Amino acid sequence: MRKKIVAGNWKMNKTAEEAVALTSEVVNMIGDEVTGDVQVVLCVPSVYLTTLRQYLTGRVALGAQNCHEKASGAYTGEVSAPMLKSIGVQYVILGHSERRQYFNETNEQLAEKVNIALANNLTPIFCCGESLDLRQSGDFVGFVASQLTDSLFHLSPEEFGKIVIAYEPIWAIGTGLTASAAQAQEMHAALRQHIAAKYGPEVADNTTILYGGSANAQNAEELFACPDVDGGLIGGASLKSRDFTTVVKGVKN
Ligand code: 13P
């Protein structure tokens, strides 16, 4: 059975004090209220990773929001995968649409980031998703499938088995406009088929595919009930402990 995961992506939010408060609230609420088998991940700004690590438990793991594709060197301002590994980080978001859009990350560069993350035992949460233009007038399924092909399909089946995918339609991110459960299920099933065509049904069956894009306390349960939706990558709703915990509780085993 594939793992169910709910990851919070805090993006560039919270002061140090707020970050500690939110983390300890989330850890307590998850501990008290969540009984099902779901891995929670908090993807926090990198300056807080070391501090927040001490608040975490097995059920709540720590993730970064990006890493550089090189191990070290003259890349002012960047954070490397070996650095993240050295402070106990377990997950790293790669290829978020905001990084693709504002920092011009390409599929080829993301393939390198995936490689270095895996080489350092970090679990990549690999983001993919189409724009509104594509959704309205193009082959959006083919486009998202090609993001996987270009950045992930060089991996061996064993390596691919360590990847978590997050489907995040760009038009749903931070807009309050969520993909319907049917739209999410359609894409997730298509991606699973695409993975099966390359790696076979067993690898595809074991791949965790998260949904992200205005998932919140009200809609999470319905989205997570889709057979191919294995949890979520949560932006805005991960910034409030009560909302985030409710989202996590939306995962049914
Ligand atoms: P929102 O949940 O705020 O739409 O953000 C989704 C996202 O980008 C998570 O990575």
Side-chain angles (χ1 to χ4, degrees):
M1 262 309 282
R2 53 186 178 258
K3 210 176 197 176
K4 306 258 181 170
I5 298 174
V6 176
N9 175 9
W10 290 8
K11 308 190 180 182
M12 195 175 72
N13 290 294
K14 303 291 178 189
T15 62
E17 203 178 324
E18 291 165 349
V20 167
L22 176 57
T23 301
S24 52
E25 282 169 28
V26 166
V27 167
N28 287 336
M29 286 185 185
I30 301 289
D32 290 347
E33 300 176 32
V34 178
T35 48
D37 196 7
V38 51
Q39 176 68 60
V40 176
V41 184
L42 299 183
C43 299
V44 306
S46 57
V47 284
Y48 304 140
L49 286 165
T50 308
T51 308
L52 297 184
R53 188 176 63 158
Q54 43 196 316
Y55 292 86
L56 299 182
T57 57
R59 314 219 26 215
V60 184
L62 198 55
Q65 298 175 9
N66 178 37
C67 72
H68 196 269
E69 63 269 28
K70 296 284 193 294
S72 64
Y75 301 99
T76 302
E78 292 293 312
V79 170
S80 76
M83 290 175 191
L84 296 176
K85 182 189 179 187
S86 73
I87 58 167
V89 172
Q90 293 152 280
Y91 291 80
V92 59
I93 296 174
L94 293 177
H96 193 281
S97 62
E98 287 150 17
R99 295 214 55 91
R100 293 176 188 263
Q101 184 183 349
Y102 304 133
F103 302 93
N104 303 316
E105 291 192 355
T106 63
N107 288 344
E108 295 67 34
Q109 183 184 14
L110 290 169
E112 291 182 51
K113 292 192 180 206
V114 165
N115 290 344
I116 199 150
L118 288 176
N120 287 282
N121 285 326
L122 299 167
T123 300
I125 300 176
F126 179 81
C127 299
C128 54
E130 81 287 0
S131 65
L132 186 58
D133 270 4
L134 254 173
R135 167 62 66 167
Q136 288 174 336
S137 63
D139 175 13
F140 55 91
V141 172
F143 174 81
V144 178
S146 75
Q147 291 181 315
L148 267 53
T149 305
D150 292 353
S151 298
L152 299 176
F153 279 12
H154 63 285
L155 299 173
S156 69
E158 199 196 355
E159 289 167 333
F160 189 87
K162 296 176 181 156
I163 303 286
V164 173
I165 310 272
Y167 168 57
E168 299 206 305
I170 296 168
W171 47 272
I173 295 178
T175 57
L177 197 70
T178 321
S180 67
Q183 286 173 322
Q185 171 57 26
E186 178 195 27
M187 180 64 83
H188 284 226
L191 294 180
R192 204 177 298 287
Q193 239 172 28
H194 185 58
I195 295 165
K198 167 77 179 170
Y199 291 106
E202 198 181 324
V203 171
D205 259 5
N206 287 328
T207 302
T208 297
I209 308 180
L210 310 179
Y211 170 79
S214 298
N216 59 37
Q218 283 73 46
N219 59 30
E221 190 168 347
E222 189 189 352
L223 286 162
F224 298 167
C226 298
D228 287 288
V229 176
D230 308 313
L233 182 55
I234 315 299
S238 74
L239 299 175
K240 292 190 180 143
S241 53
R242 172 47 56 205
D243 286 359
F244 186 61
T245 304
T246 305
V247 170
V248 173
K249 289 202 277 190
V251 173
K252 308 289 177 205
N253 293 110

